[in-house]
Amino acid sequence: MKWKRSERLVDMTQYMIEHPHKLIPLTYFASLYQSAKSSISEDLTIIKETFEERGRGLLITVPGAAGGVKFIPTMTSEDVNEIAQSLIEQLSKADRLLPGGYLYMTDLLGNPSLMNKVGKIFASSFAHEKIDAIMTVATKGISIAHAIARHLNVPVVVVRRDSKVTEGPTVSINYVSGSARRIQTMVLSKRSMEKGQRVLITDDFMKVGGTINGMKNLLEEFNCELAGIAVLVEADHEGEQLVDEYLSLIKLREVNEKDGTIVLTEGNYFEKGGNNDESSNNN
Amino acid sequence: MKWKRSERLVDMTQYMIEHPHKLIPLTYFASLYQSAKSSISEDLTIIKETFEERGRGLLITVPGAAGGVKFIPTMTSEDVNEIAQSLIEQLSKADRLLPGGYLYMTDLLGNPSLMNKVGKIFASSFAHEKIDAIMTVATKGISIAHAIARHLNVPVVVVRRDSKVTEGPTVSINYVSGSARRIQTMVLSKRSMEKGQRVLITDDFMKVGGTINGMKNLLEEFNCELAGIAVLVEADHEGEQLVDEYLSLIKLREVNEKDGTIVLTEGNYFEKGGNNDESSNNN
């Protein structure tokens, strides 16, 4: 079957969006569509220009025999702003307040469309870093970790509180949970990482940073390197902060259980210019 | 800015893939691209024909003032076969065998590209059912649940083994875990579901079905309805099966710890014709 340009554009767009950060040889498309490589190159120029004009992603062309094209998802700062504002609005509702000043966020973490956006925000921030895996701790960070991982095309590694038979041999460490200063344990399957990997740590919530710090210690046990830390919500608190280099999308400034008020602002993503990408929405 | 057809095709394809099962009014595209509705309709016809010819998805047009267009992801049976065969091959490796005859699957569950495909397979199977939420139990089912949920555009509800302060008030039930016949507990935040919702239950592994049965009981406590059950791997076993109506992608037939042999076949998805969709890959 001979493909028309319009059909190729639709099919290639779908393929590239479903395979981010994957180098696709031009010959793959040429043989799939039975088209000349020159036509495929022209198609890719149209796709590239459309993606970049709208700030939806970059199309990187790698020349040479082992070359091809790679789709890097990006977000415009307008989109990131909109998502952060919507999160602040949703998280500010008084009925989210739980005893102890915690916020109910489980519904947001279970919303796949929202998580997809959050994952894309952080994936854009780390798009130009070498990342081999995303690490999080069970349970609530898993949806964010998978969303980031999908946009970076790398595996997710889930640290657990307890060892299970289905994990095989594990490495276990003790760490001090931040605010309560309790000794806790975290375990990770020995098979889950290889020496020398660069790992992005993520979680839904960070206060003092005890859990994140525990994961950092675990990385050392595996002789892996920290590539970055990304949290959805960080909470202001008194006393020492255990983690210094991190990116947060939202900041919880104040919780007043008595009045039921919750004060949230933008996280340090907006100070640090978390969006590495130069393209912006030009229309 | 005036958009060319080729640019609209790329941008619309991306938008629809990122918003499955969402009704998009034609006026949304018409105003975004400053184009006549008739041009948008022609664009949609090209996208629809391309998606359907390749078996990548359906484009459903809903007429009328409250109408629009909806993208329903589908998989061709060739693609489903290929994924199942690749899973069988990977899971058959002797080094996956753990004490007690368990299989190490954590790496596959942490692979976002594979999970995306598995999610799309099950989402296609249930594309024409009314589904309000996907339910799973922590920890290992979460990646599958989110992958299905994303393709169906519905929230994920995660049942836990223990109650945590961040979940707010919970409903707790006891259930009998299948093979070991131990009494276990599962808890779910009261806020996570509303009465009358239709819920698809999913998990990575099912033997006797005790855990899935526990989730079914939990649905009753919430006055919700079971819409279906989808498991990645089901295991053959002696004795009573607690769950009858389910879809499995892979079947674990036999595990011999002494020889290190693992026998896997296709799951009942292939007998039941899990692929609801009529379209197939025609090129």
Side-chain angles (χ1 to χ4, degrees), chain A residues 100-140:
Chain A
Y102 290 96
L103 286 194
Y104 183 77
M105 305 196 337
T106 306
D107 57 332
L108 303 176
L109 300 171
N111 178 330
S113 151
L114 175 64
M115 287 302 105
N116 186 47
K117 289 172 189 161
V118 169
K120 206 193 276 185
I121 292 172
F122 288 131
S124 303
S125 302
F126 293 95
H128 305 289
E129 303 266 342
K130 186 180 175 308
I131 310 264
D132 300 303
I134 313 290
M135 178 187 263
T136 192
V137 67
T139 303
K140 297 220 303 301

Side-chain angles (χ1 to χ4, degrees), chain A residues 11-24 28-29 58-59 69-73 149-153, chain B residues 17 54 56 79 82 113-114 116-117 120:
Chain A
D11 202 60
M12 286 165 92
T13 299
Q14 180 169 27
Y15 187 86
M16 280 187 295
I17 287 168
E18 295 198 340
H19 298 85
H21 281 268
K22 181 188 170 181
L23 188 67
I24 309 155
Y28 171 80
F29 290 128
L58 307 172
L59 225 59
V69 64
K70 202 193 270 187
F71 170 60
I72 315 279
R150 197 174 54 257
H151 291 293
L152 287 176
N153 191 27
Chain B
I17 286 168
R54 293 275 292 165
R56 298 293 182 231
D79 284 346
E82 200 183 292
S113 150
L114 175 63
N116 186 46
K117 290 173 188 162
K120 206 193 276 185

Side-chain angles (χ1 to χ4, degrees), chain A residues 49-265:
Chain A
E49 285 173 2
T50 310
F51 281 173
E52 294 182 3
E53 205 155 324
R54 291 276 293 164
R56 298 294 183 228
L58 307 172
L59 225 59
I60 311 273
T61 311
V62 180
V69 64
K70 202 193 270 187
F71 170 60
I72 315 279
T74 61
M75 296 281 268
T76 63
S77 35
E78 289 86 342
D79 285 346
V80 179
N81 262 319
E82 199 182 295
I83 293 158
Q85 293 313 322
S86 148
L87 272 167
I88 289 172
E89 197 191 310
Q90 290 180 74
L91 285 170
S92 304
K93 292 192 178 134
D95 63 358
R96 294 198 173 269
L97 212 44
L98 297 172
Y102 290 96
L103 286 194
Y104 183 77
M105 305 196 337
T106 306
D107 57 332
L108 303 176
L109 300 171
N111 178 330
S113 151
L114 175 64
M115 287 302 105
N116 186 47
K117 289 172 189 161
V118 169
K120 206 193 276 185
I121 292 172
F122 288 131
S124 303
S125 302
F126 293 95
H128 305 289
E129 303 266 342
K130 186 180 175 308
I131 310 264
D132 300 303
I134 313 290
M135 178 187 263
T136 192
V137 67
T139 303
K140 297 220 303 301
I142 299 178
S143 58
I144 300 177
H146 267 273
I148 302 175
R150 197 174 54 257
H151 291 293
L152 287 176
N153 191 27
V154 295
V156 171
V157 164
V158 179
V159 176
R160 306 175 64 113
R161 304 286 182 184
D162 55 343
S163 170
K164 276 201 81 173
V165 57
T166 48
E167 298 295 307
T170 54
V171 173
S172 154
I173 62 152
N174 294 313
Y175 70 102
V176 180
S177 84
S179 4
R181 301 206 63 77
R182 264 193 308 147
I183 300 282
Q184 293 197 283
T185 304
M186 48 171 74
V187 299
L188 182 59
S189 170
K190 279 186 82 170
R191 305 190 191 201
S192 56
M193 285 194 304
E194 282 162 38
K195 194 178 152 178
Q197 288 191 314
R198 283 178 56 82
V199 178
L200 174 65
I201 291 178
T202 189
D203 210 352
D204 59 312
F205 191 83
M206 179 178 82
K207 203 165 181 177
V208 178
T211 307
I212 301 248
N213 217 26
M215 286 193 266
K216 279 172 69 176
N217 295 341
L218 208 42
L219 283 188
E220 282 168 29
E221 290 303 317
F222 280 82
N223 290 305
C224 288
E225 262 177 72
L226 180 68
I229 297 167
V231 297
L232 182 61
V233 179
E234 66 162 315
D236 256 354
H237 60 94
E238 284 167 22
E240 197 195 0
Q241 174 76 33
L242 296 175
V243 172
D244 40 13
E245 281 289 323
Y246 62 89
L247 217 52
S248 69
L249 195 60
I250 307 288
K251 192 159 190 164
L252 178 58
R253 295 276 177 185
E254 212 189 301
V255 174
N256 189 323
E257 283 188 76
K258 232 168 96 187
D259 326 348
T261 51
I262 304 164
V263 182
L264 295 138
T265 60

Side-chain angles (χ1 to χ4, degrees), chain A residues 1 53 95 110 150 156 191, chain B residues 1 53 95 110 150 156 191:
Chain A
M1 199 195 94
E53 205 155 324
D95 63 358
R150 197 174 54 257
V156 171
R191 305 190 191 201
Chain B
M1 198 195 95
E53 206 156 323
D95 64 358
R150 197 174 54 256
V156 171
R191 305 189 189 201

Side-chain angles (χ1 to χ4, degrees), chain B residues 4-5 16-17 20 23 31 34 68 75 84 86 91 104 118 124 192 206 283:
Chain B
K4 287 187 216 146
R5 161 143 299 153
M16 279 187 295
I17 286 168
L23 189 67
S31 96
Q34 302 183 15
M75 296 282 269
S86 148
L91 286 170
Y104 183 78
V118 168
S124 302
S192 56
M206 178 180 81
N283 21 260

